[in-house]
C-alpha cells in the first residue's frame, strides 16, 4: 500500500466515522401538541408501611410486660380474696364477719375499677386501636 493510498483511506475514515455516528443517533422527539388528551394516570399504589424489626420487637416486649403485670395483679387479687375468705370462715364474731364482707366487697370494686381503667387506657393507646382489650379475670362472688 502506498503512502498516497494510505492517506486517502485515512482521510475517508476521518470524515466518514463522525458522519456515521451522527446518522445513528435517534432523531429528536417532536413536541407534543397542546390539544392532546392527557394520558391516563396510573392508579396510586397502596403503601403499607411495616414497622422496623426493632419497633416490632419493642412492641412485643411491651405487650409481654403488660401481660406479666396483669398476671401478677390477678394472682395478688386472688390471694387477697382467698385470705379474706379464710379469715371470714374462721371469724366467730358476727361484727367481724360483717367487716370482712364489706372489705372484700370494696376490694372487688376497686379491682374492677382498676381493670376497667387499664382496659380503657389500653384501648386509647394509638398503637392498640382496633386491638382487643385484655380480658378481665373472673372474680368469684365470695
Amino acid at each position: 500500500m502506498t503512502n498516497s493510498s494510505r492517506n486517502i483511506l485515512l482521510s475517508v475514515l476521518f470524515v466518514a466515522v463522525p458522519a456515521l455516528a451522527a446518522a445513528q443517533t435517534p432523531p429528536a422527539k417532536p413536541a407534543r401538541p397542546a390539544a392532546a388528551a392527557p394520558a391516563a394516570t396510573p392508579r396510586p399504589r397502596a403503601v403499607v408501611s411495616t414497622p422496623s424489626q426493632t419497633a416490632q420487637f419493642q412492641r412485643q416486649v411491651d405487650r409481654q410486660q403488660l401481660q406479666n403485670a396483669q398476671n401478677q395483679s390477678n394472682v395478688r387479687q386472688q390471694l387477697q380474696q382467698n385470705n379474706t375468705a379464710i379469715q371470714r370462715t374462721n371469724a366467730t364474731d358476727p361484727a367481724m364477719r360483717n367487716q370482712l364482707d364489706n372489705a372484700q366487697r370494696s376490694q372487688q370494686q376497686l379491682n374492677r375499677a382498676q381493670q376497667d381503667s387499664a382496659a380503657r387506657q389500653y384501648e386509647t393507646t394509638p398503637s392498640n386501636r382496633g386491638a382487643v382489650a385484655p380480658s378481665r379475670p373472673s372474680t368469684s362472688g365470695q
Side-chain angles (χ1 to χ4, degrees):
M1 185 177 233
T2 63
N3 255 350
S4 63
S5 63
R6 189 178 301 145
N7 287 339
I8 293 173
L9 183 60
L10 284 175
S11 62
V12 169
L13 285 175
F14 190 69
V15 172
V17 169
L20 289 174
Q24 289 182 355
T25 59
K29 292 184 179 179
R32 286 182 129 177
T41 57
R43 191 182 303 172
R45 294 182 183 172
V47 178
V48 178
S49 63
T50 58
S52 67
Q53 289 182 351
T54 306
Q56 288 176 347
F57 179 76
Q58 187 60 46
R59 189 177 299 158
Q60 184 178 2
V61 167
D62 292 344
R63 193 177 309 124
Q64 188 64 44
Q65 287 176 345
L66 175 68
Q67 288 175 348
N68 288 344
Q70 288 174 340
N71 289 342
Q72 288 175 354
S73 175
N74 293 341
V75 168
R76 214 175 302 115
Q77 290 172 12
Q78 192 64 43
L79 287 172
Q80 284 177 341
Q81 288 176 359
N82 291 342
N83 287 340
T84 307
I86 290 171
Q87 287 176 348
R88 188 186 181 288
T89 56
N90 291 337
T92 55
D93 184 19
M96 179 62 104
R97 280 188 176 188
N98 191 20
Q99 279 184 334
L100 289 171
D101 286 342
N102 291 338
Q104 188 173 14
R105 247 182 264 114
S106 65
Q107 186 64 41
Q108 286 176 347
Q109 289 174 348
L110 177 65
N111 291 343
R112 282 191 202 106
Q114 288 174 344
Q115 289 167 353
D116 290 342
S117 172
R120 260 187 263 109
Q121 185 177 6
Y122 183 82
E123 289 171 354
T124 58
T125 303
S127 62
N128 297 328
R129 285 200 178 119
V132 177
S135 63
R136 184 168 42 177
S138 62
T139 56
S140 58
Q142 295 178 354

